Amino acid sequence: MKPLFKLLSRLLNRLEETLIAFLMAGATLVIFMAVVQRYLSGITAFGIQDFMIQLNVSWAQELCIYMFVWMAKFGAAYGVRTGIHVGVDVLINRLSDRYRYGFILFGLACGALFTGTIGWMGYGLVREVHEYGSTTEVLEWPQWIVYLAIPLGSALMCFRFLQVLLSFARTGALPKHDHSHVDGMEDVLDDANLVPQDLNQRKGPQA
């Protein structure tokens, strides 16, 4: 059972990260294309202006808004899993281990309850919008697809809160994120003989 759960967790992690990366890259590409089109539309030489004006990119802004909404919802779930959300824990860290443990469990449970509630309400909203049959203003997509980010993102965030809660209950450790750490940077610095001494010691002796 545990190997299956670990496999599903890895697949979900990869899906989450891939979706966020795709949305970020896609939104960046669409914005870049719209900016280039707007800039070249002001150039009259060689018929560039006439050609660029014929390109309809009025949908770019709407598409980017939807992509950022989806990215924010799934990015919030990623933030719970990796511990990158900002939190005020000055008072909690001053408590004894017993009370600190209880307050953290309570906070994680509240997070799961809140996001679960938002997910359920979002599901109801999606059903209503689907029955109404409305579409987006420019792209004319079914609007319920856009609103689907609310129940899906909130459900994933609720799952992440429960995942962190169970992990903390077993180990007493919360996910931590070092904002100064960049994945792969140690290898780059090591190749250039610029790795700090503490990083070399952390990596251990080389074979």
Side-chain angles (χ1 to χ4, degrees), residues 25-200:
T28 302
L29 182 62
V30 171
I31 292 173
F32 175 76
M33 180 190 64
V35 171
V36 170
Q37 189 270 347
R38 183 176 299 178
Y39 173 77
L40 293 180
S41 295
I43 300 177
T44 58
F46 307 107
I48 295 177
Q49 186 179 57
D50 295 334
F51 175 76
M52 286 296 167
I53 290 177
Q54 292 178 1
L55 297 178
N56 180 18
V57 293
S58 59
W59 48 266
Q61 181 177 1
E62 185 176 275
L63 178 60
C64 285
I65 291 174
Y66 297 152
M67 294 178 79
F68 276 114
V69 168
W70 276 74
M71 183 172 56
K73 291 298 295 181
F74 284 87
Y78 175 81
V80 174
R81 174 167 68 90
T82 57
I84 61 177
H85 282 297
V86 177
V88 181
D89 56 2
V90 176
L91 178 60
I92 293 178
N93 289 336
R94 291 180 175 273
L95 299 175
S96 63
D97 291 341
R98 176 185 174 186
Y99 287 106
R100 177 179 177 274
Y101 181 84
F103 269 105
I104 291 177
L105 285 180
F106 176 74
L108 292 172
C110 287
L113 177 62
F114 176 76
T115 52
T117 302
I118 296 297
W120 179 254
M121 295 175 66
Y123 170 72
L125 175 63
V126 169
R127 288 187 59 184
E128 290 183 6
V129 174
H130 181 269
E131 292 174 359
Y132 187 70
S134 58
T135 59
T136 59
E137 183 175 353
V138 179
L139 292 169
E140 296 184 352
W141 288 354
Q143 206 159 26
W144 67 268
I145 295 179
V146 178
Y147 284 102
L148 198 60
I150 300 175
L152 291 181
S154 298
L156 180 59
M157 197 172 181
C158 177
F159 171 77
R160 294 305 187 189
F161 269 117
L162 293 174
Q163 195 176 36
V164 173
L165 187 150
L166 293 176
S167 176
F168 178 75
R170 290 196 310 266
T171 65
L174 290 170
K176 293 290 184 180
H177 179 77
D178 184 3
H179 296 279
S180 63
H181 173 74
V182 179
D183 290 335
M185 185 57 67
E186 294 90 343
D187 296 332
V188 174
L189 295 176
D190 191 21
D191 292 339
N193 296 321
L194 295 175
V195 178
Q197 187 65 26
D198 58 340
L199 288 180
N200 275 324

